[in-house]
Amino acid sequence: MGRPLFYDIIEKPATSCIITICSLIWFVIQKKSVGYSQVGLSYETASEGHYWRMITSAFSHISVLHLVFNMSALWSLGVVEQLGHVGLGTAYYLHYTLVLVVFSGVLVIGIYHLLIARFKIDYFRRVTAVGYSCVVFGWMTILSVKQPSSKLDLFGLLSLPISFAPFESLIFTSIIVPQASFLGHLSGILVGYAISWGLIGGMNNYWALTMLGWIIVVFVFSLKKSGAYDFSFLQIESLTDASLPSVRFIGNGRTLQASAVPFSGVEVV
């Protein structure tokens, strides 16, 4: 008899929570008949200020096959949480999951910008990415550097050496699923290497909470400003200088407003 699933869930709490969140979001998407264009990230929507899509696109899946493939790979990669003795562990997993979600999204939009502006390939202006694949490929890459002897198990049937898994999976998904985002997966791999080689490092609880706070602020304000969701307690209006917005929180008769202050230049050392 195999090991009860309960013990694996206890040892992979962050992975289990993320899989649950992605599954619940998929259920809501199916229930509400939400299309990928409503939650996905594209160069066009990002340039219009829909920065909130960087988060919704990562945690949303439209097809059940896409969800099952990503979550199966993520469950296997959750072994990172069980490797606290080699400098990984649950805290490391949570810290760098935040980094992978944000940085891979920014990188893929940057690549789209280069292809559109420099090479005049307008096709990438409206390409819409959706799914947790960027983060999955990022963790494949990190684990391939940190623990090259590990295996990646898919669906409990297919086992790949983790040292080759990122590029094997990149090629495999590109052939089997033509609509899969090659650049999105590649962005996850590049950010994964940047993390594992120490180019992106120094994450701790303080910086993770700070980053999470900014993500929430940008998420809420971009939702409001883009008109995707109307937060009745929040108003954004311009002052004399249109580049300096004022912010109002309205409720119980109290108003908080940021005023315009002349900027003469500051050097920070």
Side-chain angles (χ1 to χ4, degrees), residues 93-110:
Y93 183 86
L94 287 171
H95 295 167
Y96 287 100
T97 290
L98 273 178
V99 172
L100 282 166
V101 169
V102 175
F103 279 51
S104 59
V106 170
L107 181 58
V108 76
I109 292 299

Side-chain angles (χ1 to χ4, degrees):
M1 181 179 292
R3 176 176 169 165
L5 181 63
F6 173 77
Y7 292 105
D8 286 327
I9 292 173
I10 294 298
E11 292 182 359
K12 302 177 182 179
T15 305
S16 302
C17 286
I18 291 170
I19 290 174
T20 301
I21 290 169
C22 288
S23 300
L24 288 173
I25 290 173
W26 173 82
F27 178 78
V28 171
I29 284 174
Q30 299 303 309
K31 192 76 173 175
K32 302 289 186 180
S33 298
V34 177
Y36 70 91
S37 61
Q38 295 172 266
V39 293
L41 177 68
S42 69
Y43 180 84
E44 196 170 61
T45 54
S47 62
E48 292 171 355
H50 294 229
Y51 307 127
W52 53 270
R53 290 174 179 267
M54 233 170 248
I55 306 301
T56 60
S57 65
F59 292 91
S60 300
H61 297 80
I62 304 303
S63 74
V64 66
L65 183 61
H66 189 198
L67 174 72
V68 170
F69 182 85
N70 278 351
M71 295 305 102
S72 175
L74 186 65
W75 178 253
S76 180
L77 294 166
V79 70
V80 171
E81 294 192 70
Q82 301 169 316
L83 297 174
H85 59 285
V86 294
L88 302 178
T90 300
Y92 182 94
Y93 183 86
L94 287 171
H95 295 167
Y96 287 100
T97 290
L98 273 178
V99 172
L100 282 166
V101 169
V102 175
F103 279 51
S104 59
V106 170
L107 181 58
V108 76
I109 292 299
I111 294 173
Y112 286 163
H113 177 76
L114 178 65
L115 292 171
I116 294 166
R118 184 65 183 270
F119 298 99
K120 310 300 180 185
I121 307 176
D122 277 349
Y123 165 78
F124 290 102
R125 191 176 295 277
R126 286 173 293 278
V127 172
T128 303
V130 64
Y132 205 69
S133 304
C134 288
V135 181
V136 169
F137 274 81
W139 279 118
M140 277 187 206
T141 305
I142 294 169
L143 203 56
S144 71
V145 174
K146 301 284 188 180
Q147 289 285 301
S149 60
S150 299
K151 299 281 187 180
L152 176 67
D153 294 317
L154 296 175
F155 310 107
L157 301 173
L158 180 64
S159 183
L160 300 174
I162 196 66
S163 54
F164 299 108
F167 292 103
E168 283 179 348
S169 299
L170 182 65
I171 296 169
F172 177 77
T173 53
S174 297
I175 294 172
I176 301 300
V177 187
Q179 67 269 31
S181 175
F182 179 87
L183 292 178
H185 297 167
L186 182 61
S187 296
I189 291 174
L190 293 176
V191 176
Y193 275 123
I195 292 170
S196 54
W197 291 341
L199 302 177
I200 302 174
M203 285 293 288
N204 52 33
N205 289 337
Y206 171 79
W207 287 114
L209 288 173
T210 300
M211 187 174 182
L212 180 61
W214 278 110
I215 289 172
I216 292 171
V217 169
V218 172
F219 185 86
V220 171
F221 273 76
S222 63
L223 269 176
K224 172 72 176 182
K225 193 170 182 180
S226 65
Y229 190 86
D230 182 25
F231 293 96
S232 57
F233 63 89
L234 179 65
Q235 288 187 6
I236 304 174
E237 44 184 56
S238 58
L239 296 172
T240 305
D241 185 348
S243 66
L244 298 172
S246 69
V247 180
R248 284 185 175 181
F249 293 91
I250 300 175
N252 300 325
R254 288 173 290 183
T255 301
L256 172 65
Q257 179 170 334
S259 58
V261 178
F263 180 74
S264 57
V266 178
E267 286 187 354
V268 180
V269 179

